[in-house]
Amino acid sequence: MSTPQLHLDSCRRTGTWLIAIVLLLMGQRVEAQVREPDHFLTTSVTLSSAPRLRQVSTRHASPMLAAGFRLSEHSQLRLDWGLPYTSVDPAGAIEGRRSHLGSSNLLVGLHNVRAFVDDTVFVRMGVGVAVPLARHQDADELDARRPETQDANYTTAAAVRGLADPWLWALDTTSVVLPMAVGLDLPGFQLRADVALGMLVPVSRTARDTHFVAQASLEAALGLGMLEPGARVQVVTPHLTEATWDGEDSRVSLEPFVRVRLGPAFARAGVRIDLGDPRAHPAPSASRMWALGLGLGVGF
């Protein structure tokens, strides 16, 4: 048999297998998953890179852990914590590449979850408090620019998420967060909206004044058996208390994603695209940066 014929047969077999796998995934039946299970544990990582933007090369990775535990029929305890890492390499800098790894704040939340219409609709409301684990470090003889690198780490962690969840990344700050989520699960279609209002309170003189932050997102996905492709739109207003706020300091982003569910486990992959105009500040965290998000989780 000729080489072109062998290549054609190989392509046909590969295509047949891919079609069979897609049909198998779409044919699987899964339960409605527009809301999190009563008990869950998830791990995720956000990756981003700005090779040479505004004369600064930046690499960022921030693993996250999230967990939920059912306390009663309608109450749930939720925990969120991260470990951001950023390396910064300014062009022409004598010191060269610098990096920082540190803990985020720990968000502890108590939520009330209600389901309606045979679990087709759910509403979750709660209150959370951010434990200030992320604290400023002083400069030392080995690294005189440690505070600057630390600031770049945490501001980049917020920037690659479109400024979302600042209570996790604000240094020397504790926060009170009021989140709310509403979801709709129809055959083959899922819709979810999330809103959160946070009050960030400094716990040291190095932190800024108390201010409020608001964020909202809308997520839609197709329920194709085990496959759930969708998109998420998010807007964050980081300085809600400014009297002259006109929307210019808000950040809008779009994230196409796909989820795969297999029994109680799931995997998720998405790319966040910044739709807002980049700010004029020269720090790498204030620049437009792509972000790849990968996650794994299990409900029980």
Side-chain angles (χ1 to χ4, degrees):
M1 185 179 294
S2 63
T3 300
Q5 184 63 35
L6 289 174
H7 179 71
L8 181 59
D9 291 342
S10 177
C11 291
R12 287 175 178 174
R13 286 194 297 269
T14 302
T16 302
W17 276 108
L18 289 175
I19 294 174
I21 292 173
V22 171
L23 292 177
L24 177 63
L25 293 176
M26 295 178 59
Q28 297 291 323
R29 297 185 60 184
V30 295
E31 297 180 357
Q33 294 285 352
V34 70
R35 64 166 176 156
E36 298 88 349
D38 293 333
H39 305 276
F40 69 89
L41 178 64
T42 64
T43 179
S44 62
V45 60
T46 299
L47 305 170
S48 186
S49 174
R52 184 61 67 187
L53 186 61
R54 293 177 183 166
Q55 303 304 311
V56 177
S57 178
T58 305
R59 303 289 187 274
H60 178 81
S62 47
M64 292 286 299
L65 290 176
F69 306 95
R70 179 178 177 179
L71 302 179
S72 65
E73 182 180 0
H74 297 293
S75 63
Q76 184 184 50
L77 175 68
R78 297 170 62 95
L79 306 172
D80 294 275
W81 176 80
L83 193 67
Y85 168 82
T86 301
S87 66
V88 180
D89 187 10
I94 299 177
E95 296 84 356
R97 180 175 292 274
R98 307 186 305 272
S99 63
H100 182 270
L101 173 69
S103 168
S104 77
N105 297 319
L106 172 64
L107 183 64
V108 182
L110 183 62
H111 297 249
N112 185 277
V113 184
R114 302 278 177 168
F116 307 94
V117 196
D118 296 330
D119 287 340
T120 302
V121 180
F122 91 96
V123 177
R124 173 167 60 82
M125 302 179 64
V127 59
V129 176
V131 181
L133 301 182
R135 308 299 295 268
H136 268 104
Q137 298 176 351
D138 296 328
D140 56 28
E141 296 180 358
L142 298 178
D143 188 359
R145 306 190 68 178
R146 176 183 293 182
E148 180 182 343
T149 308
Q150 183 185 24
D151 288 339
N153 184 21
Y154 287 92
T155 53
T156 301
V160 299
R161 292 170 171 81
L163 305 183
D165 303 330
W167 34 83
L168 292 176
W169 319 111
L171 290 167
D172 295 331
T173 302
T174 185
S175 305
V176 178
V177 186
L178 302 177
M180 177 180 177
V182 179
L184 174 66
D185 199 326
L186 299 175
F189 180 73
Q190 299 175 355
L191 185 66
R192 172 171 173 154
D194 288 83
V195 178
L197 176 66
M199 180 178 69
L200 280 63
V201 183
V203 295
S204 73
R205 295 180 179 179
T206 59
R208 295 183 298 178
D209 295 335
T210 298
H211 67 282
F212 291 86
V213 175
Q215 63 185 46
S217 65
L218 181 64
E219 177 181 304
L222 299 177
L224 306 178
M226 295 173 63
L227 290 177
E228 297 178 1
R232 184 172 186 264
V233 179
Q234 171 185 274
V235 59
V236 182
T237 61
H239 301 290
L240 194 63
T241 52
E242 291 186 4
T244 58
W245 181 78
D246 57 5
E248 293 182 356
D249 60 346
S250 65
R251 186 68 62 89
V252 181
S253 58
L254 171 67
E255 183 190 15
F257 66 86
V258 61
R259 281 190 299 258
V260 179
R261 298 189 185 274
L262 182 60
F266 76 90
R268 185 184 189 277
V271 177
R272 193 193 65 82
I273 304 169
D274 190 358
L275 300 181
D277 293 333
R279 303 290 296 276
H281 195 278
S285 61
S287 304
R288 180 177 297 176
M289 298 177 67
W290 63 267
L292 170 65
L294 303 172
L296 296 172
V298 61
F300 50 93

